[in-house]
């Protein structure tokens, strides 16, 4: 039976959580690492996404883990072992860096379009062709303005929250109404304080509405090159 | 929004061991479903702000 992979850790833990649909989790050791997985056949659906998250969260609460992206399925334990062994070095290094830590998410939504001095212009052309080009030019200038404002917000967050650059990831303007989607890596035991700090700092930002979420396992920081 | 941010992370981030999986729910790629949910929520929120 194929296996849906949940997380990677250095050692098994006592009393692991139940796997998907309540079945026991499978531990597949491979050298200095191992992975947790559930037997899984058939289509992957929305319920399984959140069941996967429950398992990852409970594993991370018991031992230092790297969360695996939902939907990673292998044919059997031998293939799982092979895949893990092939990347043991980089995964082990990432696990040592982020194991035991948690992620806080900060989302900033535009409340109004930022006004950037010296950017953009009014479309004044009278002919269709020129009007088209000027409209396009204005759209690009607006986009640049939003991006510059979002980058300034990201820099301000990093500065005021006093986080290490290695412990933060930003997605600048990931959607038209979103200024920023950021992830912060909190040290063990300090995630709630980090969240409170993020709420306090984002409340002072103008022109955006902030939503602070988490903590949850460090999905964003588990990605390797 | 919190749920959507979490969904985005579950579907688009984390260790990739086996390459990108094609995950479908009723013919809709779940990878894109997460993003669409985010966009829909943002649009709804914007509409509410405009009418408030």
């Amino acid at each position: 039976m194929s296996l849906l992979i949940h997380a990677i850790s250095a050692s098994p833990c006592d009393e692991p959580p139940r796997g998907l649909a309540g079945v026991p989790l499978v531990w597949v050791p491979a050298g200095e690492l191992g992975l947790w997985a559930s037997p899984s056949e058939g289509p992957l659906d929305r319920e399984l996404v959140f069941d996967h998250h429950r398992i990852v969260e409970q594993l991370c609460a018991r031992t230092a883990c790297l969360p695996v992206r939902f939907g990673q399925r292998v044919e059997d334990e031998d293939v799982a072992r092979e895949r893990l062994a092939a990347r043991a070095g980089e995964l082990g290094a990432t696990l040592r860096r982020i194991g035991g830590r948690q992620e806080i998410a900060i989302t900033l939504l535009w409340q109004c379009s930022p006004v950037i001095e010296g950017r953009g212009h009014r479309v004044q052309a009278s002919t269709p062709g020129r009007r088209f080009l000027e409209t396009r030019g204005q759209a690009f200038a607006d986009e640049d303005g939003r991006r510059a404002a979002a980058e300034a917000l990201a820099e301000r967050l990093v500065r005021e929250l006093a986080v290490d650059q290695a412990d933060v990831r930003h997605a600048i303007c990931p959607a038209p109404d979103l200024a920023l989607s950021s992830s912060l890596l909190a040290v063990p035991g300090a995630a709630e304080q980090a969240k409170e700090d993020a709420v306090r700092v984002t409340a002072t930002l103008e022109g955006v509405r902030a939503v602070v979420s988490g903590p949850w396992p460090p999905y964003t920081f588990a990605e390797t090159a | 929004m919190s749920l959507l941010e979490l969904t985005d992370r579950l579907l688009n981030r984390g260790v990739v061991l086996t390459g990108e999986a094609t995950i479908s729910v009723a013919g809709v790629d779940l990878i894109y479903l997460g993003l669409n949910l985010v966009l829909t929520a943002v649009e709804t929120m914007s509409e509410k702000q405009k009418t408030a």
Side-chain angles (χ1 to χ4, degrees):
Chain A
M1 176 175 274
S2 62
L3 298 170
L4 184 74
I5 307 169
H6 302 298
I8 295 164
S9 62
S11 58
C13 58
D14 296 332
E15 299 181 18
R18 305 297 291 183
L20 294 178
V23 301
L25 279 180
V26 177
W27 167 252
V28 183
E32 294 182 352
L33 297 176
L35 58 82
W36 294 97
S38 291
S40 169
E41 297 286 358
L44 300 172
D45 60 26
R46 189 188 301 248
E47 281 182 22
L48 289 182
V49 175
F50 293 105
D51 211 14
H52 166 78
H53 173 60
R54 171 191 63 79
I55 295 163
V56 173
E57 204 163 41
Q58 291 179 359
L59 283 169
C60 287
R62 288 165 169 79
T63 185
C65 286
L66 289 182
V68 171
R69 185 177 304 186
F70 177 76
Q72 302 286 299
R73 197 146 61 176
V74 290
E75 293 87 338
D76 53 38
E77 289 191 27
D78 288 339
V79 176
R81 198 171 288 113
E82 187 182 300
R83 295 282 167 83
L84 190 55
R87 294 177 52 200
E90 58 173 319
L91 291 170
T94 307
L95 180 61
R96 285 190 290 279
R97 192 176 91 74
I98 72 167
R101 302 177 78 178
Q102 288 181 297
E103 178 175 334
I104 304 292
I106 300 174
T107 311
L108 301 182
L109 299 105
W110 295 120
Q111 282 187 313
C112 55
S113 280
V115 177
I116 307 296
E117 195 68 32
R119 291 182 186 269
H121 62 281
R122 287 182 177 279
V123 176
Q124 296 175 325
S126 55
T127 58
R130 191 165 180 82
R131 194 181 307 129
F132 171 78
L133 290 174
E134 284 196 10
T135 303
R136 293 265 295 170
Q138 186 176 26
F140 282 124
D142 290 346
E143 174 74 31
D144 285 349
R146 278 194 294 274
R147 192 162 186 85
E151 284 171 351
L153 288 167
E155 285 173 15
R156 185 170 160 192
L157 275 182
V158 170
R159 192 173 57 247
E160 295 197 13
L161 289 170
V163 289
D164 193 319
Q165 287 284 0
D167 294 342
V168 63
R169 300 276 191 280
H170 299 298
I172 306 286
C173 300
D177 290 323
L178 288 181
L180 197 62
S181 173
S182 296
S183 304
L184 307 180
L185 195 58
V187 297
E192 288 301 335
Q193 184 59 53
K195 187 174 182 179
E196 283 178 25
D197 292 345
V199 169
R200 178 178 46 76
V201 168
T202 54
T204 65
L205 302 176
E206 294 176 358
V208 289
R209 176 176 179 273
V211 180
V212 181
S213 316
W216 47 54
Y219 292 100
T220 302
F221 299 88
E223 291 178 328
T224 52
Chain B
M1 182 53 77
S2 298
L3 184 62
L4 300 176
E5 283 284 1
L6 174 60
T7 306
D8 175 60
R9 280 158 177 79
L10 292 168
L11 299 180
N12 299 311
R13 305 180 197 181
V15 175
V16 176
L17 277 181
T18 66
E20 294 296 333
T22 301
I23 307 158
S24 292
V25 177
V28 179
D29 279 353
L30 205 53
I31 299 290
Y32 298 107
L33 189 63
L35 179 60
N36 287 337
L37 285 172
V38 171
L39 296 178
T40 304
V42 170
E43 284 167 7
T44 305
M45 193 177 293
S46 299
E47 286 302 314
K48 284 181 179 172
Q49 284 174 355
K50 283 174 191 167
T51 56

